[in-house]
Amino acid sequence: MLDDARFTDACARRDMGAVFRMLNHRGISTRRIAELAGVSQGRLYDYMNGKSRVEKPALFEEIADGLRIPGKLLRIADRPWEPHPEPPGPEERTAPAADDVTAVNAFREVDKSTGGGRVYQAVVRHLHERVARRLVASESDTQSFAAAASFSEMAGWMAHDSGRDDLAAGHLTRALHLARVSGDWSLSANIAASSSHLALQTGDALKAAHWASVGLGFAAKGPDLPALSARLLAMGARAAAAGGRPAAAVRCLAQSQEALERSPSTTHPWVSPFDTTSLASEAALAMRDMASYGKALAYAEHATESREGNRVRSLALNRINLVSIHARRNDWDAVVHHGTDLPAISPALGSVRVMRHMSCLRHQLLPHRAYPPLRELVARMDDFGRTQSLLLADLVPEHDEGAQA
């Protein structure tokens, strides 16, 4: 429809009611249009019938992303998925500064064991004081923007781990803009994978699928990085599972496994690690969402047994998911057996996300407290929750509404 003058004119006038009517006349159902535009069907009918108009800038951006309308047609910024000039070739691109790579790896290692809540301010300070000033220096190069993008993405992850998802989304948006300026397709794909993960955590399967797809498009334009492709495919699988598309979820999981089995042709300093244990964690969640509890259990057990002891947060989340799956199977003896270690999670772990997931699991177990061993486990989880509330009081958002498990 981008070649239809009536369509482009309606976009220029920002008459989204007319845009929606044209799409409907082309055979797209109002239900599907509403899904893609991120509005309710009732609100969509109001737009189509001229009872109200789209006014909020954020909604124009969501509609543009959902319907793939280029930003310039709606007089907004270019969208992250729009094509842009090819990045410089390998021979033209400067190598990342050793100090930047060292800092990224150091922050990643600390994050594994202590959680993002305690490191977030240090990352933001490093970004502002050590990286951002280089973006406006006369000797600035593409790697300065790549470094800024990588630290901004890391800040987004840590904000999410601190329970501040709106703040995390802002960091990831800025990270993608910086990555696009750097011309690094792989880094852009890595950030898209993080955006897909964040959308899943906030319960938006459609947006998660969108970012996984955008990320795969970015990845295809860069060097062959099997782990990056595997991560994006795993995000696509989880989005499909959460969105009620089991066949697509199973297909994406198989493709993710195939990608990991390929030998990497190159490495990338800014791309997050993703291995078979990471895939098992994501596969367990996807199978859980599809109510395929036997397979979910097998993946969750593998993820729990294979995860290294220094990755405290990842191990805690895997254990919580394992117990949750046993609970969905009504296997209360297994819940008690595997739940024994949960209240022993290191109190030094500054992760609001882990605390929220533990709270969700507690609510899942509460209706079954008549079973004495389970009642004892819930009591120990209550003690853990009170301790964590005290230790993380400076991190927990004031109006904490919980999180998606």
Side-chain angles (χ1 to χ4, degrees):
M1 295 189 68
L2 296 179
D3 296 325
D4 188 326
R6 295 172 302 166
F7 179 80
T8 55
D9 179 63
C11 289
R13 290 184 285 106
R14 288 184 149 191
D15 185 351
M16 303 317 296
V19 168
F20 296 148
R21 288 195 299 274
M22 290 180 200
L23 292 169
N24 189 228
H25 292 159
R26 288 288 185 99
I28 303 177
S29 69
T30 54
R31 182 190 62 79
R32 182 61 175 155
I33 295 172
E35 286 180 358
L36 293 172
V39 299
S40 66
Q41 272 193 276
R43 182 57 61 87
L44 180 74
Y45 290 136
D46 287 344
Y47 294 141
M48 294 175 69
N49 295 328
K51 292 183 179 179
S52 61
R53 289 178 60 91
V54 175
E55 301 288 350
K56 294 182 178 179
L59 185 51
F60 279 112
E61 293 177 351
E62 186 147 0
I63 291 170
D65 290 340
L67 298 175
R68 285 297 198 274
I69 300 175
K72 66 180 180 181
L73 293 187
L74 294 174
R75 305 200 305 277
I76 59 177
D78 290 346
R79 309 313 302 149
W81 45 264
E82 291 187 56
H84 48 283
E86 291 292 328
E91 69 283 355
E92 303 172 65
R93 186 178 295 150
T94 56
D99 288 348
D100 288 334
V101 176
T102 299
V104 164
N105 290 334
F107 283 131
R108 280 178 180 164
E109 287 302 313
V110 175
D111 177 53
K112 291 176 186 177
S113 57
T114 67
R118 300 303 181 200
V119 197
Y120 172 74
Q121 290 297 339
V123 172
V124 171
R125 189 179 303 113
H126 181 89
L127 176 60
H128 288 171
E129 296 178 0
R130 300 291 185 89
V131 181
R133 64 180 61 182
R134 285 158 35 199
L135 303 184
V136 293
S138 58
E139 66 273 14
S140 174
D141 57 22
T142 58
Q143 280 304 323
S144 297
F145 286 91
S150 185
F151 283 109
S152 294
E153 181 201 16
M154 182 172 288
W157 265 104
M158 293 178 176
H160 167 55
D161 202 36
S162 304
R164 293 173 286 180
D165 289 340
D166 288 343
L167 182 61
H171 281 300
L172 292 179
T173 297
R174 287 188 290 276
L176 187 53
H177 288 315
L178 290 163
R180 290 182 64 189
V181 174
S182 77
D184 192 322
W185 291 113
S186 299
L187 177 55
S188 296
N190 195 60
I191 296 166
S194 296
S195 297
S196 180
H197 176 93
L198 182 62
L200 283 165
Q201 295 296 296
T202 55
D204 194 336
L206 190 63
K207 185 177 287 187
H210 160 76
W211 281 116
S213 176
V214 168
L216 286 168
F218 287 155
K221 297 177 181 179
D224 181 29
L225 298 174
L228 175 59
S229 298
R231 183 184 175 206
L232 286 158
L233 287 162
M235 291 300 99
R238 288 211 40 210
R245 297 182 290 119
V250 171
R251 181 172 64 252
C252 285
L253 286 177
Q255 291 172 340
S256 180
Q257 181 63 51
E258 290 171 4
L260 282 179
E261 291 171 356
R262 299 202 318 268
S263 298
S265 58
T266 185
T267 58
H268 196 292
W270 306 129
V271 172
S272 303
F274 190 84
D275 55 18
T276 54
T277 303
S278 305
L279 175 57
S281 298
E282 303 298 346
L285 292 168
M287 289 298 173
R288 182 204 65 184
D289 288 345
M290 293 188 288
S292 182
Y293 299 133
K295 292 181 179 178
L297 193 57
Y299 281 122
E301 288 173 344
H302 173 70
T304 303
E305 293 166 2
S306 304
R307 183 53 71 207
E308 301 93 329
N310 67 319
R311 300 192 60 167
V312 179
R313 181 186 54 213
S314 178
L315 186 57
L317 290 170
N318 284 332
R319 284 175 174 168
I320 291 170
N321 187 42
L322 177 62
V323 174
S324 176
I325 295 168
H326 279 300
R328 291 173 186 239
R329 289 162 57 93
N330 297 317
D331 189 344
W332 306 116
D333 288 331
V335 166
V336 172
H337 173 73
H338 291 283
T340 301
D341 293 333
L342 291 182
I345 293 171
S346 171
L349 179 61
S351 173
V352 175
R353 186 158 55 116
V354 168
M355 188 176 77
R356 284 175 167 177
H357 281 251
M358 185 77 92
S359 178
C360 289
L361 176 61
R362 175 186 176 277
H363 286 294
Q364 186 181 359
L365 301 181
L366 276 178
H368 309 281
R369 284 180 298 173
Y371 183 47
L374 193 60
R375 185 164 58 248
E376 181 181 341
L377 174 61
V378 170
R380 293 179 61 209
M381 292 173 70
D382 287 342
D383 290 339
F384 172 84
R386 283 189 288 270
T387 301
Q388 288 297 96
S389 295
L390 289 171
L391 295 176
L392 304 183
D394 58 325
L395 298 180
V396 179
E398 207 169 310
H399 302 291
D400 192 4
E401 299 175 357
Q404 297 290 325

